[in-house]
Amino acid sequence: MKRLFKLISVTLSVAFFSIMSLTSCSDDNNAVQQVYYTFGFEQLSGSNELFSEMYKIEDAFKNEFNKSFGATKTPFVLEGTVEECDAKVKQACERATKSLEDVVWASTFTFAVTNANTAQTIYTASFGNKNQ
């Protein structure tokens, strides 16, 4: 009898924790959560100025992320819904891109920011010599 009671207890415990695990892993984008972002170069082709221009682009984005959320490296994390966090990051990216619009580039670059939770690229900016 003790053995049967112990078996039922273990079975119920496993069932309870299984249900709780499935519930906590729901794919609800409206739930407040930690949302992780990465950023970096997707494409580049360069001249002698390649590294200094890469630094200038990356620095503009890092400075804007630092001002907006206190983030200075990749990956960084925000708390909120996926939609809210993505919108905040896109706005910061647009400000960083705007700060670079008057720069004359010798190389070409594509810089991207990705939501690591969803694996979606949420912002892409191209910089470069229009004549290449």
Side-chain angles (χ1 to χ4, degrees), residues 36-42 61 65 74 76 86 89-90 93 111-116 120-125:
Y36 290 83
Y37 294 91
T38 61
F39 59 86
F41 294 94
E42 285 188 336
F61 280 83
F65 294 156
T74 186
F76 65 93
D86 283 358
V89 172
K90 286 177 191 176
C93 289
F111 191 85
V113 179
T114 302
N115 178 323
Q120 297 294 311
T121 299
I122 62 162
Y123 189 84
T124 304

Side-chain angles (χ1 to χ4, degrees), residues 79-128:
E79 283 201 18
T81 67
V82 170
E83 291 81 11
E84 290 169 344
C85 293
D86 283 358
K88 288 177 186 176
V89 172
K90 286 177 191 176
Q91 289 172 349
C93 289
E94 288 166 0
R95 288 189 297 270
T97 301
K98 187 169 178 58
S99 75
L100 296 166
E101 66 186 11
D102 294 330
V103 176
V104 177
W105 303 100
S107 306
T108 59
F109 306 92
T110 302
F111 191 85
V113 179
T114 302
N115 178 323
N117 293 41
T118 63
Q120 297 294 311
T121 299
I122 62 162
Y123 189 84
T124 304
S126 294
F127 306 94

